[in-house]
Amino acid sequence: MDNMETFRKWISESKRIVAFTGAGVSTESGIPDFRSADGLYHQKFEYPPETIISHSFYERRPAYFFRFYREKMLPLGFEPNIAHKTFARWEQEGRLSAVVTQNIDGLHQKAGSQRVYELHGSVLRNYCERCGKFYPAEFIRDSEGIPKCTCGGTVKPDVVLYEESLPQDTVEKAVNAIAQADMLIVAGTSLTVYPAAGLIRYYSGSRLVLINRDSTPYDDYADLVFHDTLGNVLSAVQKI
């Protein structure tokens, strides 16, 4: 039995699949990632992207942060692709129990997924640091300079910046889902961003499937590995 046949068989037999997704899931919707050859880390900016989207830089240079954020990190107007739609369908069919994602674009929910644990937050949620009032992403997009609440406080995107901790409640729910999974599909992530990447070690089963265009540090740890795009691999299992 080849890898694709094995993958199909595992999907058909599983009832608690967890999908752990990274930027490679969203690049096929047109959203650029950070680490690929044409990603943000390989573009020229006055400061490295990881510096600009750090908590200390946000505190020190908020106007510059928001200029970069609006231009490079506010993925509005994009649509879910086959990966988002496939995971949503599997959830509706009772095969998939949760999506754990490092992405901040909200496309899993837009595709119909109900149980999504967003480790790094979401651009769709923004809140006033003074009074807590929430604002949609369009408010950030359409504002100029530093976005301000009606109370005068700064409206901060609810995304996890470098130097900030992951949301503990979300991490606990993600760990619980991964630990109870009968199959873990790790999709579109380089598995180099910690602590998020370390969460897959809570999976103790024997159906760890890794789908990523490039090799990852966890390739030897996986039970099945596909070095291909999500679209190509998931198109091949659509008969499920």
Side-chain angles (χ1 to χ4, degrees), residues 38-119:
D38 54 353
L40 290 181
Y41 279 0
H42 296 272
Q43 299 178 25
K44 301 300 182 184
F45 296 101
E46 187 178 347
Y47 303 93
E50 65 266 31
T51 296
I52 300 172
I53 56 174
S54 67
H55 180 81
S56 55
F57 191 93
Y58 168 78
E59 293 283 341
R60 189 171 67 251
R61 300 283 303 277
Y64 193 106
F65 168 88
F66 279 107
R67 188 161 70 248
F68 176 88
Y69 181 83
R70 290 187 187 96
E71 181 181 347
K72 298 296 183 182
M73 293 189 63
L74 203 52
L76 302 180
F78 293 90
E79 294 300 324
N81 58 53
I82 185 173
H84 301 104
K85 294 174 182 176
T86 298
F87 295 145
R89 178 165 59 84
W90 289 351
E91 181 183 26
Q92 293 160 7
E93 292 173 351
R95 301 182 191 279
L96 185 141
S97 59
V99 172
V100 178
T101 187
Q102 299 174 86
N103 298 334
I104 59 175
D105 50 47
L107 289 182
H108 283 296
Q109 292 93 327
K110 195 171 185 179
S113 290
Q114 299 295 312
R115 191 173 292 110
V116 181
Y117 301 128
E118 297 172 307
L119 297 175

Side-chain angles (χ1 to χ4, degrees), residues 203-214:
Y203 176 69
S204 58
S206 58
R207 293 181 173 181
L208 172 57
V209 181
L210 207 160
I211 309 169
N212 197 54
R213 189 177 58 186
D214 304 313

